[in-house]
Amino acid sequence: MSNLTEIRWHGRGGQGAKTAALLLADVAFQTGKYVQGFPEYGPERMGAPITAYNRISDTVIRAHSNIYDPEYVVVVDESLLEAVDVTAGLKKEGAILINTARSKEEIIPHLKGYEGKVYIIDAHKVSMATMGKYFPNTPLLAAIVKVTGLMDEETFLREMRASFSHKFASKPEVIDGNMAALEMALKEVR
Amino acid sequence: MAKRDRLSGNEAVAIALRQINPDVFPAFPITPSTEIPQYFASFVANGQVDTEFIPVESEHSSMSAAIGASAAGARSLTATSSCGLAYMWEELYIAASNRLPLALALVNRALSGPININCDHSDSMGARDSGWIQMYAENNQEAYDNMVQAYRISEHKDVRLPIMICQDGFITSHAVENIELLEDEEVKKFVGEYSPENYLLNPECPMAVGPYSITDYYMEAKRNQAEGMKHVSQVVLDVAKEYAGISGRAYGLFEEYRMEDAERAVVMIGSAAGTTKDAIDRLREKGEKVGLIKIRLYRPFPASEIAEALKNVKAVAIMDRAEGYTNHGGPLGADVMSALYRARGNALAVNYIYGLGGRDVRVEDMEGVFEALKQIIEEGGAGEAYRYLGLRE
């Protein structure tokens, strides 16, 4: 169990937090890991806070509970910092990744004294620059892979290209934009 | 050759159904089972199956159409959850009493009210006495494996009863996890062609299905149904043995986890069994003799086998993911305690109601249950045997 990595995603319905968790499970599976990716549904409506989870491990995963003491938290929508206790249970050896255009200095006072590492990325900027539309989950996926070090960047990009080629088989024109978003996000996260 | 993949429980069941390629699949959507007919409809549209897919206007109709198709001689099924199953109530009994071996992919969800979309077993537990075979899964792999084995059990000439293949809503239906799939050809060969002995569309032998039965015959008809049920356990074991040969995965009527020298045991159904295994491993590391019995076949109920598995246990906690409103526990609790009584079992028994409406069950919760069992042994009595786990006070 020591090799188990647990990640909690906080987003709002419609922003793709669940999809991002499933994509992360997908790419981790491709590198030979045991994975879980699952959503926790509250009221199903656009804009309501939702939570999604990942367990990634070198050994079989049997637990079927939600995750309360994650190593990592991803905040897809920074307005949730006020609405949800996003750092609850988050291990101080771990890290939190926040999608924001603000600076770390501006964000940290909103984290209730969280002592671990804080990473930020402006997923809006990355998404608009590479895809022309706001899909925060693609940049955040790359950012969390970088933050966790779950796999090296080269492997990640190779597996994601294969995954997008399959997923977007009927609209290949979006593959390059998504790949560009991943590459830019790997550089932008800090 | 097994194929490694990562799938949600719903996808896994849908893929099993594609590999089985049943004749008729009538469906009406309801969360969290909707994805099963949704994925299957894409297989139909892509020409990967030649199943007659019938979108109907309600679950009353989806089950009725599955029954009609099965009576006509087709291999049929449908999928549903919660209130959808409740709306099929009348037809469940029709399917079983007519000895029609259709399948139902059930994704367990709480019944209203209060209205809730998350997992508990109140839907299928309500149908436990309808004459259907019921099988449950801990994870996506078991949901897939049970689905592949379903028709071999239900269509067996000594059984001929409908079968409900259950999995936990959202917890396994919507969680993507690793899985091993069989090759399409292997599944096709294992399941085989359906050739019913008697069926409506047989001009050589006209027959009636579901006629009125006067008092003179009704009771004998019901007793005949019970006869079919009596053969289920052996058929389940035979089919599982054959399945182990192609899959490498062994199944029984229930799974015993670290029970060999267990003094304290939990009996439960479904996804929380995996969480319980983690709790058991933690406690075993500290030298505590704890184990788990995870029910796979719930109807018919393997009473004597479970009593035998519990015979050396000092205390047992039976976990129900459904209320029974008996004022003394849930349906699984009643079944296990009755099995212990008949076998003159000595284990002290408590019955927990847990996980209603998706209430989460953590490893720590299950460690707490084993701790409570320790107290019960020390005190030499179960005390209040009807308890709630994880209830906010």
Side-chain angles (χ1 to χ4, degrees):
Chain A
M1 298 272 285
S2 56
N3 56 44
L4 176 70
T5 302
E6 294 186 313
I7 303 168
R8 190 173 65 209
W9 299 75
H10 293 284
R12 290 186 182 277
Q15 290 175 334
K18 175 199 163 190
T19 305
L22 297 189
L23 281 171
L24 181 62
D26 227 40
V27 70
F29 165 80
Q30 296 295 357
T31 64
K33 301 280 189 185
Y34 287 92
V35 298
Q36 270 184 350
F38 56 102
E40 181 186 5
Y41 285 100
E44 284 185 86
R45 58 172 196 266
M46 294 278 279
I50 76 132
T51 314
Y53 303 94
N54 282 118
R55 285 190 178 91
I56 295 164
S57 172
D58 292 330
T59 53
V60 175
I61 302 164
R62 300 179 301 193
H64 277 118
S65 60
N66 295 336
I67 292 166
Y68 298 88
D69 310 300
E71 276 79 33
Y72 301 98
V73 162
V74 185
V75 181
V76 181
D77 185 314
E78 67 177 307
S79 73
L80 290 170
L81 294 176
E82 313 307 327
V84 177
D85 189 3
V86 295
T87 55
L90 176 60
K91 289 177 181 156
K92 66 174 188 291
E93 304 76 31
I96 186 166
L97 168 67
I98 298 156
N99 171 19
T100 180
R102 291 189 281 174
S103 69
K104 269 191 209 180
E105 291 66 34
E106 286 172 90
I107 287 292
I108 286 171
H110 298 276
L111 299 180
K112 300 184 178 160
Y114 175 63
E115 292 170 20
K117 289 188 189 125
V118 178
Y119 293 89
I120 54 167
I121 183 167
D122 186 350
H124 186 266
K125 183 178 89 177
V126 173
S127 186
M128 294 310 285
T130 54
M131 297 184 284
K133 281 183 188 163
Y134 185 41
F135 294 123
N137 56 6
T138 309
L140 283 166
L141 175 65
I144 193 64
V145 165
K146 174 129 182 175
V147 167
T148 57
L150 276 167
M151 64 198 80
D152 65 65
E153 292 183 15
E154 198 185 321
T155 308
F156 170 65
L157 291 172
R158 187 181 65 233
E159 294 300 340
M160 286 310 298
R161 182 171 281 282
S163 169
F164 286 146
S165 306
H166 179 70
K167 190 177 173 198
F168 298 126
S170 60
K171 40 179 179 176
E173 66 280 5
V174 306
I175 297 173
D176 286 345
N178 272 280
M179 288 307 297
L182 295 176
E183 285 169 37
M184 184 174 169
L186 288 171
K187 296 188 186 81
E188 286 281 323
V189 62
R190 57 187 174 267
Chain B
M1 256 308 275
K3 183 175 172 288
R4 285 174 193 282
D5 208 332
R6 72 296 188 195
L7 297 170
S8 73
N10 277 343
E11 278 178 290
V13 165
I15 287 174
L17 292 173
R18 174 180 64 67
Q19 296 177 315
I20 293 167
N21 192 10
D23 299 316
V24 181
F25 187 165
F28 186 81
I30 181 166
T31 300
S33 61
T34 300
E35 287 176 341
I36 295 174
Q38 184 185 331
Y39 286 120
F40 196 84
S42 72
F43 302 147
V44 174
N46 295 337
Q48 292 166 282
V49 291
D50 54 14
T51 306
E52 186 72 31
F53 184 80
I54 316 174
V56 292
E57 90 302 343
S58 76
E59 290 88 354
H60 191 278
S61 295
S62 64
M63 183 49 75
S64 295
I67 287 170
S70 183
R75 185 180 268 159
S76 72
L77 85 150
T78 186
T80 198
S81 293
S82 184
C83 306
L85 182 68
Y87 197 24
M88 291 177 182
W89 217 256
E90 174 186 0
E91 286 74 31
L92 293 178
Y93 285 75
I94 305 287
S97 60
N98 283 317
R99 306 293 298 273
L100 298 173
L102 62 142
L104 173 64
L106 185 81
V107 181
N108 283 104
R109 163 185 159 183
L111 282 170
S112 304
I115 191 165
N116 177 292
I117 61 167
N118 293 108
C119 175
D120 69 32
H121 298 156
S122 54
D123 48 3
S124 59
M125 282 297 152
R128 71 189 183 277
D129 301 336
S130 63
W132 282 61
I133 301 163
Q134 285 191 343
M135 276 190 150
Y136 291 82
E138 175 186 323
N139 51 37
N140 58 350
Q141 183 75 64
E142 294 186 2
Y144 170 83
D145 290 339
N146 288 346
M147 196 71 238
V148 173
Q149 293 172 69
Y151 287 109
R152 288 291 304 278
I153 299 161
S154 64
E155 292 169 1
H156 192 283
K157 63 177 175 44
D158 297 335
V159 174
R160 287 185 184 132
L161 287 169
I163 188 164
M164 210 176 279
I165 300 298
C166 309
Q167 65 168 314
D168 282 356
F170 289 108
I171 303 170
T172 70
S173 72
H174 283 62
V176 169
E177 295 186 273
N178 302 58
I179 190 169
E180 272 188 25
L181 301 173
L182 296 171
E183 293 290 342
D184 294 358
E185 276 311 310
E186 275 180 316
V187 173
K188 207 172 281 300
K189 208 172 126 204
F190 180 81
V191 177
E193 285 289 318
Y194 178 42
S195 45
E197 219 173 301
N198 304 299
Y199 53 102
L200 269 179
L201 296 185
N202 179 6
E204 305 301 317
C205 180
M207 62 184 255
V209 174
Y212 181 74
S213 174
I214 53 173
T215 309
D216 257 2
Y217 291 103
Y218 183 87
M219 204 154 156
E220 284 69 26
K222 300 317 281 184
R223 174 62 183 79
N224 271 335
Q225 253 178 271
E227 190 61 24
M229 211 45 123
K230 279 187 183 176
H231 301 292
V232 172
S233 294
Q234 190 55 51
V235 172
V236 165
L237 292 174
D238 292 344
V239 170
K241 196 173 170 190
E242 201 183 317
Y243 190 73
I246 61 164
S247 68
R249 290 183 291 279
Y251 288 100
L253 307 177
F254 49 86
E255 179 191 349
E256 292 181 65
Y257 185 74
R258 306 193 82 163
M259 283 297 292
E260 49 302 334
D261 59 345
E263 292 175 356
R264 287 172 279 154
V266 157
V267 181
M268 65 164 30
I269 294 175
S271 60
T275 311
T276 305
K277 288 174 182 173
D278 276 1
I280 289 169
D281 285 3
R282 277 195 201 174
L283 295 170
R284 283 270 176 183
E285 271 176 36
K286 296 184 210 161
E288 302 195 29
K289 292 180 176 172
V290 293
L292 164 75
I293 291 178
K294 180 188 79 194
I295 308 279
R296 176 176 181 237
L297 182 69
Y298 180 60
R299 280 293 179 272
F301 189 67
S304 55
E305 293 88 344
I306 284 174
E308 176 67 20
L310 289 171
K311 80 175 173 211
N312 295 321
V313 163
K314 291 180 182 165
V316 57
I318 306 138
M319 311 296 295
D320 262 295
R321 204 160 192 155
E323 244 299 358
Y325 293 114
T326 59
N327 289 350
H328 53 261
L332 181 61
D335 283 324
V336 174
M337 289 195 201
S338 137
L340 288 171
Y341 179 80
R342 283 165 174 246
R344 304 268 189 274
N346 291 319
L348 296 165
V350 281
N351 188 188
Y352 279 93
I353 308 294
Y354 78 102
L356 301 187
R359 177 59 51 85
D360 202 18
V361 187
R362 305 174 63 177
V363 173
E364 293 77 10
D365 293 323
M366 296 313 300
E367 286 180 300
V369 169
F370 284 112
E371 185 58 33
L373 289 178
K374 187 191 267 179
Q375 261 187 22
I376 286 169
I377 294 170
E378 280 165 10
E379 289 164 13
E384 176 52 79
Y386 167 40
R387 306 178 181 199
Y388 264 71
L389 180 69
L391 185 72
R392 278 210 321 269
E393 299 284 355

